[in-house]
Amino acid sequence: MPKERATSVLVVDDSRVYRRLLIDVVSRLSGVRVAGEAADGVEALAALAAGPVDLVLLDVEMPNMDGLATLREIARLHPRVGVVMVAGANRSAAQTTMQALELGALDFIPKPQVMGYDASHRALSIALSYVLECVRLGLSRAEATAAAARTAPPAPTRRSLLPPPARVPLVLIGASTGGPRALSAVIPALAPGLAAPVLVVQHMPEGFTRSFAGQLDKKSRLPVREARDGEPVAAGEVLIAPGGRHMVVRAADSGLVVGLEDSPPVHSCRPSVDVLFSSVAGIGAGPVLTIVMTGMGADGADGVRALSRKGSYNVAQDEESSIVFGMPRAVIAAGLADEVLPLEAIARRINELAGGEATRSGSRS
């Protein structure tokens, strides 16, 4: 059997110290080789023109040509090259990172907030190992999906023999790799008359979800914000789980409320889709609608299974429109998906099943 080709990585960062740290981390990872380094976007484009590169680790904030401008040029000149953003945790960098994900960056890793070389090295090694598993072999988004499909046997799909509920009281969405871009297509397309709350778990570290929620809020007809502990779960609002904390739903005298927890990660994730979904199953919220979208791993499948016993209606994003098909595949393979939909059909389905009377009338016209 021929040896698998190593993924070639170009490291781009204006800080020489941080660049050397990234290079050292990448060089120690299995199946990866450092193709070169650059101090800004101009040097990065020159390096890409000089030789083949599979993946660029791209700093967000740089002089001469910043991360966004460089990403746009890479997409235009080298569309088959994957890009992962490397971002600081300040508000400006977080906002720029969210823009980069919408523009086509595969994912991002936060610069460690720990002190010392060894601690930073460990944190980056963990983050990069996860990201490089998603973009293995330096593939573009479409190729990454095909690679994910080759790692597992074909999964059966099914459509429920029973009709969907006439109206769902709650919409639950889970996503990971590729999720920010997918959610940026779905959430702004939700109808203003939505008669159910929408709760979203997007795998994302602390410091980035507030910017993500803010960007979605500017583009959406529904209010979107980062969830707060103890706040009511209200119809027509979209709540995003804060990075670094689990979001759950609790029953109170006044109705359903959000809870935020610091319990251990599940599937190495906090927030976790399974934690949110399982909490809703535990309070008997009725025939809720679940949407499991693009992402690596299987987070969400156990929660969907628990909710299915309570009569939930479950939608999985299809393979073709997923950046990484792991999470939807897990739901489909378990026989839990009532529908498998392309990204462009998901918002319409939510509007149909969770819409108010005005939304329903509009959907029939």
Side-chain angles (χ1 to χ4, degrees):
M1 179 178 293
K3 185 177 180 180
E4 187 176 275
R5 182 176 67 86
T7 302
S8 59
V9 178
L10 175 67
V11 177
V12 185
D13 197 294
D14 64 313
S15 165
R16 186 176 183 278
V17 172
Y18 204 84
R19 204 162 63 243
R20 299 314 304 173
L21 174 60
L22 279 169
I23 288 171
D24 188 43
V25 170
V26 171
S27 65
R28 294 171 187 242
L29 295 176
S30 175
V32 182
R33 71 175 183 86
V34 178
E37 60 180 286
D40 58 35
V42 175
E43 290 186 11
L45 293 174
L48 287 170
V53 171
D54 295 315
L55 181 70
V56 178
L57 295 181
L58 183 61
D59 190 15
V60 169
E61 298 178 311
M62 299 180 296
N64 300 325
M65 181 182 284
D66 65 14
L68 282 184
T70 306
L71 175 63
R72 290 189 181 97
E73 287 301 291
I74 292 174
R76 184 176 69 88
L77 299 171
H78 309 279
R80 296 177 68 84
V81 174
V83 177
V84 172
M85 309 306 293
V86 183
N90 61 74
R91 178 172 296 183
S92 174
Q95 291 173 342
T96 303
T97 301
M98 296 305 105
Q99 291 178 280
L101 292 172
E102 290 185 31
L103 288 172
L106 291 171
D107 209 333
F108 76 98
I109 57 172
K111 291 188 174 181
Q113 301 302 299
V114 294
M115 299 296 292
Y117 184 91
D118 290 343
S120 295
H121 196 287
R122 284 193 298 272
L124 279 173
S125 295
I126 294 170
L128 276 173
S129 295
Y130 176 89
V131 168
L132 287 170
E133 190 172 347
C134 294
V135 294
R136 202 70 182 151
L137 304 178
L139 301 170
S140 66
R141 289 191 301 275
E143 292 170 320
T145 298
R150 288 195 296 270
T151 64
T157 63
R158 78 174 177 97
R159 188 179 177 108
S160 177
L161 297 177
L162 298 175
R167 181 176 299 175
V168 298
L170 185 62
V171 179
L172 305 175
I173 302 177
S176 187
T177 309
R181 194 175 190 190
L183 289 166
S184 294
V186 170
I187 301 301
L190 296 181
L194 209 68
V198 180
L199 303 184
V200 179
V201 169
Q202 163 65 50
H203 294 164
M204 195 175 281
E206 183 179 0
F208 291 87
T209 43
R210 182 170 297 180
S211 293
F212 181 46
Q215 290 196 5
L216 286 177
D217 183 65
K218 291 176 183 176
K219 299 186 297 183
S220 302
R221 294 174 289 177
L222 297 175
V224 184
R225 66 176 181 275
E226 189 180 58
R228 299 184 294 267
D229 189 52
E231 72 173 310
V233 176
E237 294 185 347
V238 181
L239 301 180
I240 310 289
R245 305 197 75 186
H246 290 308
M247 178 166 68
V248 300
V249 177
R250 299 172 179 144
D253 292 340
S254 58
L256 301 180
V257 298
V258 168
L260 299 180
E261 298 180 351
D262 299 318
S263 53
V266 175
H267 301 293
S268 301
C269 300
R270 191 172 62 198
S272 161
V273 182
D274 272 338
V275 169
L276 172 63
F277 286 16
S278 297
S279 74
V280 175
I283 61 173
V288 304
L289 173 62
T290 72
I291 313 284
V292 177
M293 300 174 70
T294 175
M296 190 173 77
D299 190 24
D302 287 342
V304 170
R305 183 176 292 104
L307 283 165
S308 291
R309 300 188 188 107
K310 308 289 185 178
S312 64
Y313 194 77
N314 310 309
V315 172
Q317 186 177 348
D318 72 359
E319 181 176 359
E320 186 175 354
S321 67
S322 296
I323 297 296
V324 179
F325 194 47
M327 285 168 53
R329 174 183 288 278
V331 173
I332 297 166
L336 298 168
D338 294 298
E339 290 189 73
V340 179
L341 296 178
L343 178 62
E344 61 270 19
I346 289 176
R348 182 170 64 249
R349 199 62 172 127
I350 295 173
N351 289 336
E352 290 169 352
L353 296 179
E357 291 304 321
T359 303
R360 290 171 178 275
S361 298
S363 69
R364 290 193 294 265
S365 62

